[in-house]
mmCIF file of all heavy atoms in Angstrom:
data_model
loop_
_atom_site.group_PDB
_atom_site.id
_atom_site.type_symbol
_atom_site.label_atom_id
_atom_site.label_comp_id
_atom_site.label_asym_id
_atom_site.label_seq_id
_atom_site.Cartn_x
_atom_site.Cartn_y
_atom_site.Cartn_z
ATOM 1 N N VAL A 628 -7.184 -140.946 55.568
ATOM 2 C CA VAL A 628 -5.915 -141.107 55.051
ATOM 3 C C VAL A 628 -5.165 -139.709 55.357
ATOM 4 O O VAL A 628 -5.723 -138.686 54.885
ATOM 5 C CB VAL A 628 -5.813 -141.304 53.573
ATOM 6 C CG1 VAL A 628 -4.403 -141.356 52.965
ATOM 7 C CG2 VAL A 628 -6.534 -142.603 53.251
ATOM 8 N N SER A 629 -4.258 -139.874 56.264
ATOM 9 C CA SER A 629 -3.478 -138.560 56.605
ATOM 10 C C SER A 629 -2.608 -138.176 55.467
ATOM 11 O O SER A 629 -2.158 -138.898 54.729
ATOM 12 C CB SER A 629 -2.763 -138.743 57.910
ATOM 13 O OG SER A 629 -1.783 -139.540 57.679
ATOM 14 N N MET A 630 -2.341 -136.937 55.494
ATOM 15 C CA MET A 630 -1.395 -136.353 54.483
ATOM 16 C C MET A 630 0.013 -137.004 54.707
ATOM 17 O O MET A 630 0.778 -137.120 53.872
ATOM 18 C CB MET A 630 -1.225 -134.865 54.718
ATOM 19 C CG MET A 630 -2.270 -134.054 54.144
ATOM 20 S SD MET A 630 -2.897 -134.584 52.507
ATOM 21 C CE MET A 630 -1.528 -133.918 51.483
ATOM 22 N N LYS A 631 0.173 -137.504 56.044
ATOM 23 C CA LYS A 631 1.503 -138.130 56.255
ATOM 24 C C LYS A 631 1.764 -139.288 55.330
ATOM 25 O O LYS A 631 2.990 -139.422 54.929
ATOM 26 C CB LYS A 631 1.375 -138.644 57.776
ATOM 27 C CG LYS A 631 2.280 -137.858 58.710
ATOM 28 C CD LYS A 631 2.455 -138.551 59.957
ATOM 29 C CE LYS A 631 1.143 -138.730 60.769
ATOM 30 N NZ LYS A 631 1.240 -139.416 62.073
ATOM 31 N N SER A 632 0.750 -140.031 55.024
ATOM 32 C CA SER A 632 0.984 -141.234 54.218
ATOM 33 C C SER A 632 1.249 -140.813 52.746
ATOM 34 O O SER A 632 1.504 -141.617 52.000
ATOM 35 C CB SER A 632 -0.255 -142.140 54.292
ATOM 36 O OG SER A 632 -1.436 -141.464 53.557
ATOM 37 N N MET A 633 1.171 -139.639 52.452
ATOM 38 C CA MET A 633 1.538 -139.138 51.007
ATOM 39 C C MET A 633 2.770 -138.365 51.047
ATOM 40 O O MET A 633 3.060 -137.753 50.102
ATOM 41 C CB MET A 633 0.351 -138.439 50.517
ATOM 42 C CG MET A 633 -0.933 -139.195 50.323
ATOM 43 S SD MET A 633 -2.239 -138.170 49.947
ATOM 44 C CE MET A 633 -3.634 -139.365 50.311
ATOM 45 N N ARG A 634 3.560 -138.477 52.079
ATOM 46 C CA ARG A 634 4.722 -137.515 52.151
ATOM 47 C C ARG A 634 5.940 -137.869 51.222
ATOM 48 O O ARG A 634 6.889 -137.194 51.208
ATOM 49 C CB ARG A 634 5.109 -137.302 53.595
ATOM 50 C CG ARG A 634 5.878 -138.519 54.059
ATOM 51 C CD ARG A 634 6.264 -138.299 55.636
ATOM 52 N NE ARG A 634 6.560 -139.547 56.151
ATOM 53 C CZ ARG A 634 6.282 -139.805 57.423
ATOM 54 N NH1 ARG A 634 5.868 -139.062 58.300
ATOM 55 N NH2 ARG A 634 6.623 -140.982 57.976
ATOM 56 N N TYR A 635 5.866 -139.109 50.547
ATOM 57 C CA TYR A 635 6.801 -139.334 49.588
ATOM 58 C C TYR A 635 6.297 -138.564 48.276
ATOM 59 O O TYR A 635 5.471 -139.150 47.586
ATOM 60 C CB TYR A 635 6.944 -140.728 49.383
ATOM 61 C CG TYR A 635 8.064 -141.221 48.332
ATOM 62 C CD1 TYR A 635 9.342 -141.187 48.788
ATOM 63 C CD2 TYR A 635 7.669 -141.750 47.146
ATOM 64 C CE1 TYR A 635 10.328 -141.479 48.003
ATOM 65 C CE2 TYR A 635 8.648 -142.101 46.218
ATOM 66 C CZ TYR A 635 10.043 -141.963 46.626
ATOM 67 O OH TYR A 635 11.123 -142.200 45.804
ATOM 68 N N THR A 636 6.993 -137.449 48.067
ATOM 69 C CA THR A 636 6.400 -136.517 47.071
ATOM 70 C C THR A 636 6.906 -136.864 45.616
ATOM 71 O O THR A 636 7.856 -137.668 45.501
ATOM 72 C CB THR A 636 6.827 -135.045 47.317
ATOM 73 O OG1 THR A 636 8.307 -135.016 47.251
ATOM 74 C CG2 THR A 636 6.469 -134.780 48.751
ATOM 75 N N ILE A 637 6.457 -136.302 44.708
ATOM 76 C CA ILE A 637 6.772 -136.471 43.266
ATOM 77 C C ILE A 637 8.225 -135.973 43.149
ATOM 78 O O ILE A 637 9.018 -136.696 42.417
ATOM 79 C CB ILE A 637 5.940 -135.688 42.333
ATOM 80 C CG1 ILE A 637 6.291 -135.944 40.913
ATOM 81 C CG2 ILE A 637 5.718 -134.206 42.567
ATOM 82 C CD1 ILE A 637 6.027 -137.370 40.459
ATOM 83 N N ASP A 639 10.592 -136.280 45.547
ATOM 84 C CA ASP A 639 11.447 -137.442 46.154
ATOM 85 C C ASP A 639 11.474 -138.484 45.094
ATOM 86 O O ASP A 639 12.554 -139.084 44.855
ATOM 87 C CB ASP A 639 10.783 -138.012 47.268
ATOM 88 C CG ASP A 639 10.610 -136.964 48.489
ATOM 89 O OD1 ASP A 639 11.424 -136.006 48.554
ATOM 90 O OD2 ASP A 639 9.603 -137.006 49.270
ATOM 91 N N PHE A 640 10.328 -138.797 44.446
ATOM 92 C CA PHE A 640 10.315 -139.902 43.450
ATOM 93 C C PHE A 640 11.238 -139.562 42.266
ATOM 94 O O PHE A 640 12.095 -140.519 41.862
ATOM 95 C CB PHE A 640 8.807 -140.057 42.988
ATOM 96 C CG PHE A 640 8.740 -141.062 41.822
ATOM 97 C CD1 PHE A 640 8.764 -142.442 42.064
ATOM 98 C CD2 PHE A 640 8.742 -140.577 40.481
ATOM 99 C CE1 PHE A 640 8.727 -143.366 41.056
ATOM 100 C CE2 PHE A 640 8.656 -141.569 39.475
ATOM 101 C CZ PHE A 640 8.682 -142.851 39.728
ATOM 102 N N ASP A 643 14.795 -140.041 43.251
ATOM 103 C CA ASP A 643 15.261 -141.423 43.385
ATOM 104 C C ASP A 643 15.305 -142.221 41.958
ATOM 105 O O ASP A 643 16.143 -143.096 41.948
ATOM 106 C CB ASP A 643 14.311 -142.253 44.260
ATOM 107 C CG ASP A 643 14.437 -141.763 45.763
ATOM 108 O OD1 ASP A 643 15.514 -141.213 46.181
ATOM 109 O OD2 ASP A 643 13.618 -142.049 46.504
ATOM 110 N N PHE A 644 14.406 -141.847 41.116
ATOM 111 C CA PHE A 644 14.287 -142.681 39.815
ATOM 112 C C PHE A 644 14.347 -141.816 38.578
ATOM 113 O O PHE A 644 13.339 -141.762 37.891
ATOM 114 C CB PHE A 644 12.992 -143.573 40.016
ATOM 115 C CG PHE A 644 13.000 -144.429 41.116
ATOM 116 C CD1 PHE A 644 12.113 -144.153 42.163
ATOM 117 C CD2 PHE A 644 13.938 -145.490 41.266
ATOM 118 C CE1 PHE A 644 11.985 -145.041 43.232
ATOM 119 C CE2 PHE A 644 13.899 -146.353 42.338
ATOM 120 C CZ PHE A 644 12.995 -146.132 43.341
ATOM 121 N N ILE A 714 3.375 -147.003 39.434
ATOM 122 C CA ILE A 714 3.110 -147.358 40.902
ATOM 123 C C ILE A 714 2.891 -146.174 41.696
ATOM 124 O O ILE A 714 2.188 -146.099 42.560
ATOM 125 C CB ILE A 714 4.342 -148.278 41.312
ATOM 126 C CG1 ILE A 714 4.295 -149.637 40.494
ATOM 127 C CG2 ILE A 714 4.209 -148.509 42.726
ATOM 128 C CD1 ILE A 714 5.542 -150.548 40.722
ATOM 129 N N TYR A 715 3.864 -145.197 41.475
ATOM 130 C CA TYR A 715 3.727 -143.909 42.228
ATOM 131 C C TYR A 715 2.395 -143.323 42.102
ATOM 132 O O TYR A 715 1.644 -142.864 43.057
ATOM 133 C CB TYR A 715 4.816 -142.919 41.711
ATOM 134 C CG TYR A 715 4.654 -141.572 42.586
ATOM 135 C CD1 TYR A 715 5.321 -141.513 43.795
ATOM 136 C CD2 TYR A 715 3.937 -140.590 41.935
ATOM 137 C CE1 TYR A 715 5.195 -140.295 44.457
ATOM 138 C CE2 TYR A 715 3.929 -139.426 42.703
ATOM 139 C CZ TYR A 715 4.448 -139.209 43.892
ATOM 140 O OH TYR A 715 4.356 -138.264 44.684
ATOM 141 N N MET A 717 -0.412 -144.741 41.266
ATOM 142 C CA MET A 717 -1.492 -145.508 41.845
ATOM 143 C C MET A 717 -1.532 -145.484 43.300
ATOM 144 O O MET A 717 -2.532 -145.840 43.928
ATOM 145 C CB MET A 717 -1.438 -146.977 41.292
ATOM 146 C CG MET A 717 -2.103 -147.113 39.883
ATOM 147 S SD MET A 717 -1.951 -148.680 39.123
ATOM 148 C CE MET A 717 -3.406 -149.547 40.146
ATOM 149 N N SER A 718 -0.367 -145.076 43.962
ATOM 150 C CA SER A 718 -0.239 -145.171 45.447
ATOM 151 C C SER A 718 -0.451 -143.658 46.007
ATOM 152 O O SER A 718 -0.522 -143.506 47.137
ATOM 153 C CB SER A 718 0.988 -145.630 45.845
ATOM 154 O OG SER A 718 2.086 -145.012 45.343
ATOM 155 N N ALA A 719 -0.372 -142.722 45.070
ATOM 156 C CA ALA A 719 -0.446 -141.291 45.574
ATOM 157 C C ALA A 719 -1.668 -140.709 46.026
ATOM 158 O O ALA A 719 -1.789 -139.731 46.567
ATOM 159 C CB ALA A 719 0.331 -140.440 44.553
ATOM 160 N N THR A 720 -2.829 -141.408 45.530
ATOM 161 C CA THR A 720 -4.122 -140.650 45.718
ATOM 162 C C THR A 720 -4.961 -141.628 46.478
ATOM 163 O O THR A 720 -4.854 -142.820 46.468
ATOM 164 C CB THR A 720 -4.803 -140.323 44.383
ATOM 165 O OG1 THR A 720 -5.103 -141.538 43.749
ATOM 166 C CG2 THR A 720 -4.012 -139.479 43.525
ATOM 167 N N PHE A 894 -6.296 -152.933 50.553
ATOM 168 C CA PHE A 894 -4.830 -152.503 50.661
ATOM 169 C C PHE A 894 -4.731 -151.164 51.138
ATOM 170 O O PHE A 894 -3.884 -150.782 51.991
ATOM 171 C CB PHE A 894 -4.119 -152.731 49.317
ATOM 172 C CG PHE A 894 -2.829 -152.466 49.314
ATOM 173 C CD1 PHE A 894 -1.831 -153.390 49.689
ATOM 174 C CD2 PHE A 894 -2.235 -151.273 48.914
ATOM 175 C CE1 PHE A 894 -0.444 -153.110 49.606
ATOM 176 C CE2 PHE A 894 -0.974 -150.822 48.940
ATOM 177 C CZ PHE A 894 -0.013 -151.812 49.214
ATOM 178 N N ARG A 895 -5.472 -150.280 50.528
ATOM 179 C CA ARG A 895 -5.373 -148.791 50.907
ATOM 180 C C ARG A 895 -5.761 -148.631 52.404
ATOM 181 O O ARG A 895 -5.112 -147.875 53.098
ATOM 182 C CB ARG A 895 -6.358 -148.040 50.046
ATOM 183 C CG ARG A 895 -5.924 -147.840 48.634
ATOM 184 C CD ARG A 895 -6.878 -147.047 47.820
ATOM 185 N NE ARG A 895 -6.425 -147.052 46.377
ATOM 186 C CZ ARG A 895 -5.332 -146.524 45.854
ATOM 187 N NH1 ARG A 895 -4.619 -145.631 46.716
ATOM 188 N NH2 ARG A 895 -5.102 -146.630 44.610
ATOM 189 N N SER A 897 -5.381 -151.021 54.783
ATOM 190 C CA SER A 897 -4.309 -151.616 55.534
ATOM 191 C C SER A 897 -3.124 -150.837 55.660
ATOM 192 O O SER A 897 -2.340 -150.956 56.583
ATOM 193 C CB SER A 897 -4.058 -153.050 54.981
ATOM 194 O OG SER A 897 -5.302 -153.820 54.893
ATOM 195 N N HIS A 898 -2.850 -150.047 54.581
ATOM 196 C CA HIS A 898 -1.670 -149.260 54.565
ATOM 197 C C HIS A 898 -1.790 -147.888 54.842
ATOM 198 O O HIS A 898 -0.908 -147.039 54.585
ATOM 199 C CB HIS A 898 -0.822 -149.501 53.254
ATOM 200 C CG HIS A 898 -0.398 -150.901 53.150
ATOM 201 N ND1 HIS A 898 -1.141 -151.955 52.695
ATOM 202 C CD2 HIS A 898 0.782 -151.659 53.537
ATOM 203 C CE1 HIS A 898 -0.559 -153.093 52.765
ATOM 204 N NE2 HIS A 898 0.651 -152.880 53.378
ATOM 205 N N ARG A 899 -3.009 -147.430 55.422
ATOM 206 C CA ARG A 899 -3.260 -145.983 55.628
ATOM 207 C C ARG A 899 -2.286 -145.346 56.524
ATOM 208 O O ARG A 899 -2.155 -144.079 56.385
ATOM 209 C CB ARG A 899 -4.734 -145.789 55.993
ATOM 210 C CG ARG A 899 -4.978 -146.293 57.448
ATOM 211 C CD ARG A 899 -6.524 -146.578 57.546
ATOM 212 N NE ARG A 899 -6.922 -146.911 58.936
ATOM 213 C CZ ARG A 899 -6.662 -148.088 59.472
ATOM 214 N NH1 ARG A 899 -5.956 -149.018 58.711
ATOM 215 N NH2 ARG A 899 -7.056 -148.298 60.720
ATOM 216 N N GLN A 900 -1.760 -146.048 57.336
ATOM 217 C CA GLN A 900 -0.759 -145.381 58.330
ATOM 218 C C GLN A 900 0.724 -145.507 57.922
ATOM 219 O O GLN A 900 1.586 -145.182 58.586
ATOM 220 C CB GLN A 900 -0.961 -146.012 59.765
ATOM 221 C CG GLN A 900 -2.332 -146.139 60.301
ATOM 222 C CD GLN A 900 -2.788 -144.681 60.685
ATOM 223 O OE1 GLN A 900 -2.088 -143.712 60.501
ATOM 224 N NE2 GLN A 900 -3.962 -144.625 61.413
ATOM 225 N N ALA A 901 0.873 -146.275 56.802
ATOM 226 C CA ALA A 901 2.279 -146.497 56.372
ATOM 227 C C ALA A 901 2.876 -145.221 55.885
ATOM 228 O O ALA A 901 2.216 -144.323 55.470
ATOM 229 C CB ALA A 901 2.312 -147.544 55.223
ATOM 230 N N PRO A 902 4.125 -145.104 56.138
ATOM 231 C CA PRO A 902 4.867 -143.793 55.855
ATOM 232 C C PRO A 902 4.616 -143.495 54.396
ATOM 233 O O PRO A 902 4.451 -142.321 54.043
ATOM 234 C CB PRO A 902 6.443 -144.108 56.163
ATOM 235 C CG PRO A 902 6.428 -145.262 56.945
ATOM 236 C CD PRO A 902 5.165 -146.084 56.791
ATOM 237 N N SER A 903 4.628 -144.433 53.565
ATOM 238 C CA SER A 903 4.302 -144.204 52.146
ATOM 239 C C SER A 903 3.637 -145.387 51.484
ATOM 240 O O SER A 903 4.305 -146.518 51.580
ATOM 241 C CB SER A 903 5.614 -143.817 51.446
ATOM 242 O OG SER A 903 5.733 -144.246 50.019
ATOM 243 N N MET A 904 2.665 -145.172 50.812
ATOM 244 C CA MET A 904 1.923 -146.274 50.190
ATOM 245 C C MET A 904 2.842 -146.882 49.003
ATOM 246 O O MET A 904 2.796 -147.978 48.621
ATOM 247 C CB MET A 904 0.576 -145.856 49.747
ATOM 248 C CG MET A 904 -0.416 -147.083 49.770
ATOM 249 S SD MET A 904 -2.132 -146.547 49.468
ATOM 250 C CE MET A 904 -2.601 -146.047 51.049
ATOM 251 N N PHE A 905 3.641 -145.898 48.400
ATOM 252 C CA PHE A 905 4.432 -146.140 47.328
ATOM 253 C C PHE A 905 5.500 -147.218 47.686
ATOM 254 O O PHE A 905 5.579 -148.297 47.025
ATOM 255 C CB PHE A 905 5.170 -144.983 46.862
ATOM 256 C CG PHE A 905 6.254 -145.253 45.722
ATOM 257 C CD1 PHE A 905 5.932 -145.496 44.423
ATOM 258 C CD2 PHE A 905 7.559 -145.247 46.118
ATOM 259 C CE1 PHE A 905 6.924 -145.842 43.475
ATOM 260 C CE2 PHE A 905 8.664 -145.549 45.085
ATOM 261 C CZ PHE A 905 8.213 -145.837 43.878
ATOM 262 N N TRP A 906 6.022 -147.118 48.898
ATOM 263 C CA TRP A 906 7.055 -148.038 49.310
ATOM 264 C C TRP A 906 6.431 -149.370 49.818
ATOM 265 O O TRP A 906 6.932 -150.462 49.672
ATOM 266 C CB TRP A 906 7.904 -147.419 50.330
ATOM 267 C CG TRP A 906 8.920 -146.444 49.814
ATOM 268 C CD1 TRP A 906 8.968 -145.090 50.056
ATOM 269 C CD2 TRP A 906 9.914 -146.774 48.751
ATOM 270 N NE1 TRP A 906 9.857 -144.523 49.193
ATOM 271 C CE2 TRP A 906 10.387 -145.481 48.515
ATOM 272 C CE3 TRP A 906 10.366 -147.790 48.162
ATOM 273 C CZ2 TRP A 906 11.538 -145.303 47.640
ATOM 274 C CZ3 TRP A 906 11.428 -147.760 47.193
ATOM 275 C CH2 TRP A 906 11.940 -146.496 46.931
ATOM 276 N N SER A 907 5.190 -149.267 50.330
ATOM 277 C CA SER A 907 4.429 -150.467 50.647
ATOM 278 C C SER A 907 4.174 -151.332 49.456
ATOM 279 O O SER A 907 4.339 -152.579 49.523
ATOM 280 C CB SER A 907 3.053 -150.026 51.279
ATOM 281 O OG SER A 907 3.190 -149.363 52.462
ATOM 282 N N LEU A 908 3.863 -150.689 48.342
ATOM 283 C CA LEU A 908 3.706 -151.412 46.992
ATOM 284 C C LEU A 908 5.031 -151.905 46.489
ATOM 285 O O LEU A 908 5.105 -153.107 46.120
ATOM 286 C CB LEU A 908 3.092 -150.533 46.022
ATOM 287 C CG LEU A 908 1.620 -150.640 45.858
ATOM 288 C CD1 LEU A 908 1.089 -149.720 44.902
ATOM 289 C CD2 LEU A 908 1.149 -152.037 45.518
ATOM 290 N N MET A 909 5.975 -151.106 46.686
ATOM 291 C CA MET A 909 7.321 -151.539 46.044
ATOM 292 C C MET A 909 7.796 -152.728 46.730
ATOM 293 O O MET A 909 8.685 -153.427 46.237
ATOM 294 C CB MET A 909 8.398 -150.442 46.062
ATOM 295 C CG MET A 909 8.041 -149.182 45.198
ATOM 296 S SD MET A 909 8.147 -149.639 43.513
ATOM 297 C CE MET A 909 9.811 -149.253 43.132
ATOM 298 N N SER A 910 7.522 -152.884 48.000
ATOM 299 C CA SER A 910 8.080 -153.931 48.860
ATOM 300 C C SER A 910 7.340 -155.287 48.511
ATOM 301 O O SER A 910 7.694 -156.362 48.961
ATOM 302 C CB SER A 910 7.848 -153.658 50.351
ATOM 303 O OG SER A 910 6.472 -153.750 50.705
ATOM 304 N N ARG A 911 6.365 -155.205 47.425
ATOM 305 C CA ARG A 911 5.682 -156.396 47.155
ATOM 306 C C ARG A 911 6.042 -156.886 45.739
ATOM 307 O O ARG A 911 5.353 -157.843 45.208
ATOM 308 C CB ARG A 911 4.165 -156.165 47.302
ATOM 309 C CG ARG A 911 3.620 -156.031 48.644
ATOM 310 C CD ARG A 911 2.185 -155.749 48.633
ATOM 311 N NE ARG A 911 1.655 -156.148 49.954
ATOM 312 C CZ ARG A 911 0.502 -156.632 50.185
ATOM 313 N NH1 ARG A 911 -0.236 -156.952 49.135
ATOM 314 N NH2 ARG A 911 0.147 -156.930 51.415
#
Side-chain angles (χ1 to χ4, degrees):
V628 177
S629 69
M630 288 311 287
K631 256 194 289 177
S632 67
M633 295 170 195
R634 74 185 160 208
Y635 186 71
T636 65
I637 183 69
D639 298 331
F640 173 81
D643 285 344
F644 302 109
I714 294 173
Y715 179 82
M717 285 180 72
S718 61
T720 63
F894 180 87
R895 291 179 186 284
S897 300
H898 293 85
R899 68 202 184 283
Q900 307 287 10
S903 151
M904 214 173 277
F905 173 75
W906 289 113
S907 300
L908 261 180
M909 291 292 272
S910 70
R911 291 180 159 214

